[in-house]
Amino acid sequence: MSGDGRESCRMKIVSWNINGIRATRVGLKEILDSLDADIICLQETKVTRDLLEEPVAIVEGYNSYFSFSRVRSGYSGVATFCKNTTTPLAAEEGLSGQLNGHKGSIGCYGNTEEFSEEELLSLDQEGRAVITQHTILTADGKEDTLTVINVYCPRADPEKPERKTYKLRFYHLLQIRAETVLRNGGHVIILGDVNTSHKPLDHCDPTDLEVFEENPGRQWLNQFLADPTTSKTEDTNQANVGGLFLDSFRYFHPTQKNAFTCWCSASGARQTNYGTRIDYILANRKLVEAEFLDSIILPEVEGSDHCPVKVLMKCFPLAADKCPSLCTKYLPEFAGRQQKLSQFLVRKNKDLEVSPGDTKEQSGSQSSSEGSEPSAARKRTNEKVGGSNGKKGKPGPKSGQGSLLGFFKPVVPKSAALSNGQNKSVISESETKNVTLPAQQGCSLPPTSGSQNGNQQQTAFWKTLLKGPPPPPSCKGHGEPCVLRTVKKSGPNCGRQFYVCARPEGHSSNPQARCNFFLWVKKKSGADG
């Protein structure tokens, strides 16, 4: 895009699967500021409400809206951060309206009679959608409504057929909600991790094209999205089943290759750009044609197995006077109406001594954990006064951590020890230099000389005594040492180890990528332990 287009950009929106909002290397505000956008939609936050802390929930200059997983901790979750200059007029959690316990919801749920209430609740229980509605000033100077649907679509686990059904039902509910909101007026953007690569161009290595197109997720995208190369229509509110939305990246970059947003971290596939494009910013055609300047991918931004995607727009955001009720700052734990349990836990002074008489004066309203403290304190007190003078004596010259050679000292006969009036033998370190190890060891300790020759002898000795793992085999493709991996997938081979090429995963035509070397680690026999 030309420089003139970037200068005319007045609104930016970013979507990023952050893969853990609490696992970032730098502060969240620094991350949000670096993304340079008015609305930032994050997926896979992996935080539940009980784990949400104030530095993540309340970020200076932004107002935030979270959806948490209610079925599993550290799983799924989405969050939308809006600059204070882009405060939404309404916000809502979920797609079905089942979680709508706040005022200022968006509505427009569409016809969901084919779903049971139990299924609708199930589709929203994993914290996969947050919707915000904004007022914008379009390029031609008119006020309009923009609804942003931030989604983290489910992944279809091949070993769990029910998850495939769950994913398709989520897609269907998303389509019903998005199209209903669009027909109600204004514009709609759907963005996030859709978990499906649409075309062969969006996949690093599509094998069988016929099988590729038969994927149910791709078939859903085919009917949900309009072809950006077809004739453009202004009537986006027509009552057709699909095709109301455009893939904004392919609208501006229809033939760009190797434009991926997700890579396998375990295989290092990002180094060879061996990935897929599953993160999208979708919008109704009229909005894309009239207000979008460009849609780009930001592969240089690291910190996750995904990279952000971004759109630049001509329209200008107009902030609402007040944040919607879903805003995180209104949660009791952050609004000053509810104290956290951690505020009631006071760190105990380690030097505090409690006498037995003091325990009787404690209040009966204390918790059981507080009531157990005096016994521990008495124990520490007894340890402190164990010496004759009430102080812990300094270790003598022979105490402390001894040399490893001390474990190989010869045993002094008990009679000799008693004759000297000692309870145990004490032998100086100089007497152990030429001590012979037990016969079954078959070796003797080298002299503990400070010379280079002595160090080399000691190194050789310990190598014979402590044998490490065998060296890894070399791969046949590059002749380089392999890496050891362990099968984590459930099945008959779970837990087995194998060797593969140490290079990052990539296309077979890439000489810098991993070769196809594979070798199982031989199982030890019972005799070998």
Side-chain angles (χ1 to χ4, degrees):
M1 188 177 60
S2 65
D4 296 338
R6 291 189 182 274
E7 290 174 3
S8 62
C9 172
R10 299 192 293 174
M11 185 174 181
K12 304 169 189 175
I13 301 179
V14 163
S15 173
W16 188 21
N17 181 320
I18 198 171
N19 194 18
I21 199 170
R22 297 181 300 151
T24 56
R25 298 178 182 177
V26 298
L28 184 58
K29 178 172 173 54
E30 184 177 342
I31 293 175
L32 297 178
D33 290 344
S34 67
L35 292 173
D36 184 28
D38 301 283
I39 302 173
I40 300 171
C41 299
L42 304 178
Q43 301 88 41
E44 205 170 356
T45 57
K46 295 183 178 180
V47 63
T48 45
R49 181 170 172 177
D50 60 316
L51 299 176
L52 185 65
E53 298 179 344
E54 190 166 329
V56 174
I58 311 296
V59 181
E60 183 183 357
Y62 298 85
N63 47 90
S64 60
Y65 308 86
F66 279 77
S67 180
F68 310 101
S69 172
R70 292 164 169 80
V71 296
R72 232 166 84 190
S73 181
Y75 172 73
S76 188
V78 296
T80 297
F81 288 82
C82 305
K83 280 188 176 179
N84 290 340
T85 54
T86 320
T87 300
L89 55 95
E92 189 175 326
E93 180 185 8
L95 298 173
S96 67
Q98 297 291 314
L99 305 180
N100 183 19
H102 301 271
K103 295 180 181 179
S105 61
I106 295 168
C108 302
Y109 302 105
N111 185 0
T112 57
E113 292 180 356
E114 61 181 281
F115 297 88
S116 65
E117 286 192 9
E118 183 181 355
E119 185 180 15
L120 289 174
L121 187 60
S122 171
L123 292 172
D124 277 340
Q125 286 278 42
E126 295 186 359
R128 295 186 175 274
V130 160
I131 309 176
T132 55
Q133 196 167 67
H134 308 259
T135 302
I136 58 172
L137 188 66
T138 62
D140 56 4
K142 297 179 181 179
E143 285 192 16
D144 212 337
T145 302
L146 173 62
T147 303
V148 179
I149 305 178
N150 175 12
V151 293
Y152 174 44
C153 297
R155 173 182 169 268
D157 191 336
E159 296 185 353
K160 297 179 180 179
E162 69 277 7
R163 293 302 294 178
K164 178 180 177 181
T165 303
Y166 185 90
K167 176 178 181 177
L168 295 177
R169 296 295 281 174
F170 185 90
Y171 279 160
H172 189 39
L173 181 61
L174 172 61
Q175 180 171 354
I176 292 174
R177 185 71 189 274
E179 292 180 350
T180 304
V181 173
L182 180 61
R183 292 191 180 102
N184 195 54
H187 301 288
V188 175
I189 291 178
I190 306 149
L191 76 177
D193 181 355
V194 179
N195 253 320
T196 298
S197 54
H198 187 197
K199 300 292 184 182
L201 196 62
D202 303 317
H203 198 285
C204 60
D205 196 10
T207 50
D208 191 335
L209 293 181
E210 185 176 345
V211 175
F212 186 89
E213 294 291 345
E214 290 177 355
N215 180 281
R218 296 187 179 99
Q219 292 181 351
W220 175 79
L221 281 171
N222 286 338
Q223 59 84 34
F224 181 64
L225 298 177
D227 187 350
T229 61
T230 58
S231 59
K232 302 175 176 59
T233 175
E234 294 296 329
D235 184 13
T236 58
N237 293 323
Q238 56 185 328
N240 54 349
V241 179
L244 300 182
F245 296 90
L246 289 176
D247 176 354
S248 63
F249 181 79
R250 285 301 171 206
Y251 179 85
F252 291 98
H253 313 279
T255 60
Q256 183 174 334
K257 297 180 179 179
N258 301 318
F260 305 133
T261 64
C262 180
W263 305 266
C264 177
S265 298
S267 63
R270 193 164 187 168
Q271 300 178 44
T272 56
N273 195 25
Y274 192 72
T276 55
R277 189 175 73 94
I278 60 177
D279 301 87
Y280 299 86
I281 298 182
L282 315 174
N284 59 291
R285 182 186 283 275
K286 187 176 181 180
L287 180 68
V288 174
E289 294 173 357
E291 303 294 339
F292 277 31
L293 290 167
D294 200 359
S295 181
I296 57 177
I297 296 174
L298 305 175
E300 69 277 5
V301 179
E302 298 182 347
S304 170
D305 54 344
H306 294 246
C307 76
V309 292
K310 188 175 188 177
V311 290
L312 312 177
M313 305 172 67
K314 301 176 188 177
C315 56
F316 185 79
L318 300 176
D321 296 333
K322 184 181 178 181
C323 295
S325 302
L326 185 65
C327 185
T328 315
K329 71 178 183 178
Y330 295 137
L331 293 177
E333 54 265 42
F334 303 119
R337 299 191 300 272
Q338 173 180 314
Q339 291 181 316
K340 289 190 173 181
L341 183 61
S342 59
Q343 295 175 343
F344 294 93
L345 303 178
V346 181
R347 180 176 296 178
K348 188 172 180 64
N349 190 344
K350 293 183 178 180
D351 296 331
L352 183 63
E353 297 183 7
V354 181
S355 63
D358 293 338
T359 60
K360 299 179 180 180
E361 301 176 3
Q362 294 181 355
S363 171
S365 62
Q366 288 180 315
S367 64
S368 59
S369 61
E370 292 175 333
S372 63
E373 290 290 345
S375 62
R378 287 198 302 272
K379 185 177 180 181
R380 289 196 297 269
T381 305
N382 294 335
E383 292 173 354
K384 289 185 178 181
V385 299
S388 59
N389 56 356
K391 294 184 179 180
K392 205 170 185 179
K394 293 184 179 180
K398 295 298 181 180
S399 62
Q401 182 175 351
S403 169
L404 186 62
L405 298 175
F407 291 97
F408 300 102
K409 293 175 183 178
V411 179
V412 178
K414 186 175 181 181
S415 58
L418 293 175
S419 64
N420 293 331
Q422 298 176 342
N423 293 327
K424 61 178 180 179
S425 62
V426 179
I427 301 179
S428 64
E429 192 171 314
S430 60
E431 296 176 36
T432 65
K433 291 184 179 179
N434 296 319
V435 173
T436 304
L437 286 170
Q440 62 268 27
Q441 295 284 350
C443 58
S444 61
L445 287 171
T448 57
S449 171
S451 64
Q452 184 177 0
N453 185 34
N455 291 336
Q456 291 177 350
Q457 291 181 4
Q458 289 191 25
T459 302
F461 163 73
W462 289 117
K463 283 185 176 180
T464 60
L465 187 64
L466 306 173
K467 295 181 180 180
S474 298
C475 66
K476 296 181 180 180
H478 309 99
E480 299 172 352
C482 293
V483 291
L484 184 65
R485 304 291 189 197
T486 303
V487 179
K488 297 181 179 180
K489 190 175 181 180
S490 58
N493 291 322
C494 184
R496 288 193 65 183
Q497 293 183 312
F498 59 94
Y499 289 104
V500 292
C501 176
R503 294 200 178 190
E505 186 180 12
H507 199 275
S508 56
S509 62
N510 186 353
Q512 301 301 322
R514 173 186 300 176
C515 64
N516 59 359
F517 179 84
F518 180 91
L519 179 66
W520 285 111
V521 175
K522 293 182 179 179
K523 292 183 178 180
K524 291 183 179 181
S525 62
D528 295 335

